[in-house]
Amino acid sequence: MTQNEFYELKERAAESQLPFKLVDRAAIKYIGRLEDNGNDGMPLSRNLYSVMGTEVLATDNVAKTLDEMSGFRSDQKEIVGKARGEEGVKDLRNYLASASTIANPNKVALIADPERKAVVNVIPVKDSVITSDDFFDFAEMFMDQNNMFPTEYEHGDSLSSGVTLHMGSNVPDVRTVTDGEDFLMNSYFLRWNLGQIELGRYYERLVCSNGQTEAVHQVESKMLSLDERSIKNMLALPGDEAALNSSFERLREHALTAINTRASLSELGFVYKLLSRYMVGTERLKELAPYNEELNYYQQRGFGKEGLRPHETLASMTVWDLYNGVTAFASHNTDWHINDNRRSGLQGAIYNFLLRPRDIKNYVDAYQ
């Protein structure tokens, strides 16, 4: 990405920003769900809310996010719905929302889509929103102070839903985990939405055989408002050499363990579910995390489903093979758009999986 492309991205993000309104969470009251009535134009926007006396429609994702903020679980909703119907759901939803805002008053930005005439996103906000212009101005300051340059970007459904900006260092720091496993350690990303800016480091695995890189993301810091102290602290993070060394040693320790450790069926199943949440296709799932196939293999070899403990049962691959397969897919697959933010999201999730304690206890192994 050139500097001009960076400025063009800044302009496009500002132009694409959907209208929003900052309100207290306590000002949002659930009214009910509209009937279908054969209208296919807005199948997911039938949740009716009152916001400061004005009735608005909201998508199912917005309703889900508001429920999560107030602690209203989907299983509670299902139980109450069966027992007391929509009226019971409404009463409990509003009660929990009211109780949660009394204990923890907060604000949210409600983002509307004029074409759909509905609220399509809701973002928690600490004090005031962080606009796209604020974000790009901060990003430019961050790169100038830390000798970095923009490389690429990602976004969700649109630029207005948030941007992840990737940045490379003009002084690359390459370190070796073991023979043939080199990592570029000091690349960074800034992830923005109206409520926050996240700073993270991404490690680029340099794949010697084909010259490609496989990136994996790890969040380092979060800023909820653009106050002087928060800005100063985030700007200084890349200069913390001790933190970089500590981060590399953690990566190295877990990488070496993963290289020498077979994955368990439980770990394979965890990655299978993770990929499913990121809407990875069926064939890719079988290729990257063949959990069902390997579980069936054990059963065919006489290890019955009853009594089989997945966390004590070896899969056919090492943890490192599993990890690398997912990072390679996230970095290079052609199933997703190059700017799809599922790439960095999946890379961060699989890195967190790498850092987990391994299931290395009493194994059952049908692959011997």
Side-chain angles (χ1 to χ4, degrees), residues 12 44 49 103 105 112 118 123 125-126 152 184 195-196 208 213-214 225 231 299 317 348 363-364 366:
R12 292 203 311 274
L44 301 178
Y49 287 86
I123 297 174
V125 174
K126 181 180 179 182
E152 57 187 359
L184 175 61
Q196 66 181 32
C208 300
T213 62
E214 296 171 3
S225 61
I231 291 175
Q299 293 172 355
M317 65 194 70
Y363 282 133
V364 174

Side-chain angles (χ1 to χ4, degrees), residues 187-214:
S187 300
Y188 286 82
F189 67 90
L190 287 169
R191 180 180 293 134
W192 160 81
N193 63 34
L194 290 175
Q196 66 181 32
I197 296 174
E198 287 182 343
L199 170 67
R201 191 194 321 275
Y202 63 96
Y203 313 113
E204 292 187 275
R205 176 173 175 257
L206 309 180
V207 186
C208 300
S209 60
N210 56 19
Q212 291 183 327
T213 62
E214 296 171 3

Side-chain angles (χ1 to χ4, degrees), residues 20 22 107-109 123-131 134 192-196 223-227:
F20 62 86
L22 185 64
K107 299 179 181 179
V108 296
I123 297 174
V125 174
K126 181 180 179 182
D127 296 312
S128 59
V129 297
I130 300 173
T131 67
D134 291 335
W192 160 81
N193 63 34
L194 290 175
Q196 66 181 32
M223 182 163 57
L224 301 177
S225 61
L226 292 174
D227 60 275

Side-chain angles (χ1 to χ4, degrees), residues 2 11 13 31 89 148 169 171 190 198-199 244 258 319 334 366-367:
T2 65
E11 290 181 7
I31 296 177
V89 171
M148 294 181 182
S169 173
V171 187
L190 287 169
E198 287 182 343
L199 170 67
L244 180 60
V319 175
T334 56
Y367 289 93

Side-chain angles (χ1 to χ4, degrees), residues 16 31 33 83 87 96 140 171 173 180 198 213 242 247 272 278:
S16 66
I31 296 177
R33 186 168 175 85
E87 193 65 24
L96 290 175
E140 188 171 14
V171 187
D173 183 347
E198 287 182 343
T213 62
S247 183
Y272 176 89
Y278 278 83

